[in-house]
Amino acid sequence: MTDAIAYPKPNLLTKEDLIAFEEEIANLFNLAKIRAPIHLYYGNEEQIIKIFQKIRPQDWVFCSWRSHYQCLLKGVPREQLRQEILDGRSISLCFPEYRIFSSAIVGGVLPISVGTAMSIKMRGEQSKVYCFMGEMTAETGIAYESIKYSRNHKLPIHFIVEDNEKSVCTDTREVWNQPRLSFEEFENQEDEYITYYRYETKYPHAGAGIRVEF
């Protein structure tokens, strides 16, 4: 972890670029060309592009199983990402050379992102960590502990909570009998450690809307 390395620069992509990529992946999945789960974005392009305007080449990005947009915006070449997805790694995309990692484990990247931020602070490096999570993950204990620890120890990390009101086949608010989620108070607020936004997607939690048999 040295800042002397010339890390690839993030891609300058438009809303249309992102949507076109996900639509291509959706079509490939529906044609049974991807023999593994996929989780697609749609409807949050403007929000995520705004976040990535702050992310530099030396910064770290950690994501969950829905991470196509983050990989593209962090600088991973489109064709390289496409091939990884075709090879069945959509839910666990990791590109160390671009400092971006994802995990299919709920909350799996949270403690890793905090540990990375701790290392950055201890080494005095000029980089930062950005950790993405869904609204259901944000309601777990590991999320609260990670954010609390980061705030109290003033770590160089920022958490992004993305709320699409979908958590597998359940509604997050119904599960917890909680009409208003804990992090909604950060919507449209500037906070050093948390960004929260809601978006509506046309895709189901997993897949692309067509039942595929292999």
Side-chain angles (χ1 to χ4, degrees):
M1 281 177 38
T2 171
D3 293 334
I5 298 175
Y7 287 98
K9 294 182 178 180
N11 283 326
L12 298 176
L13 300 176
T14 66
K15 172 181 177 179
E16 291 72 24
D17 293 330
L18 296 177
I19 292 174
F21 182 85
E22 289 292 66
E23 288 182 344
E24 179 185 1
I25 298 302
N27 290 333
L28 288 169
F29 183 82
N30 288 337
L31 291 171
K33 300 296 184 182
I34 303 172
R35 296 174 177 267
I38 61 168
H39 298 260
L40 301 169
Y41 270 126
Y42 179 83
N44 69 322
E45 292 80 18
E46 293 180 1
Q47 292 101 320
I48 200 167
I49 287 173
K50 182 178 179 181
I51 291 167
F52 267 84
Q53 288 174 350
K54 300 178 181 179
I55 298 178
R56 303 162 299 172
Q58 68 266 34
D59 293 334
W60 297 78
V61 174
F62 291 90
C63 322
S64 66
W65 45 87
R66 182 178 288 104
S67 63
H68 298 172
Y69 280 2
Q70 288 94 333
C71 290
L72 288 171
L73 291 166
K74 192 63 170 73
V76 179
R78 187 180 186 280
E79 290 307 312
Q80 182 180 355
L81 176 60
R82 181 180 183 275
Q83 188 58 54
E84 287 291 303
I85 296 169
L86 285 169
D87 290 341
R89 289 186 278 273
S90 171
I91 64 175
S92 56
L93 294 166
C94 295
F95 300 94
E97 65 273 30
Y98 294 90
R99 290 193 165 188
I100 181 165
F101 296 87
S102 65
S103 172
I105 300 173
V106 175
V109 297
L110 289 169
I112 299 172
S113 65
V114 173
T116 303
M118 289 176 63
S119 177
I120 290 171
K121 183 175 181 179
M122 291 173 63
R123 294 167 180 256
E125 296 180 359
Q126 300 303 310
S127 54
K128 188 171 182 177
V129 175
Y130 291 83
C131 182
F132 290 78
M133 71 183 94
E135 83 278 0
M136 180 63 92
T137 299
E139 292 295 326
T140 64
I142 189 63
Y144 283 94
E145 292 176 22
S146 296
I147 294 171
K148 179 171 67 174
Y149 191 91
S150 298
R151 279 192 186 276
N152 292 348
H153 289 271
K154 302 185 185 307
L155 300 183
I157 187 170
H158 192 84
F159 299 91
I160 301 96
V161 178
E162 302 176 310
D163 183 356
N164 62 9
E165 300 184 21
K166 294 182 179 181
S167 180
V168 190
C169 297
T170 62
D171 180 281
T172 306
R173 291 163 177 79
E174 290 182 7
V175 167
W176 296 106
N177 192 26
Q178 186 175 327
R180 183 176 175 82
L181 299 182
S182 304
F183 290 97
E184 284 191 57
E185 65 179 283
F186 293 97
E187 188 170 19
N188 300 318
Q189 300 294 324
E190 291 290 336
D191 185 86
E192 184 178 357
Y193 287 93
I194 298 171
T195 293
Y196 167 94
Y197 70 81
R198 298 178 71 165
Y199 71 101
E200 184 176 347
T201 178
K202 65 181 181 181
Y203 295 113
H205 170 77
I210 295 178
R211 184 176 177 83
V212 179
E213 294 185 8
F214 299 105

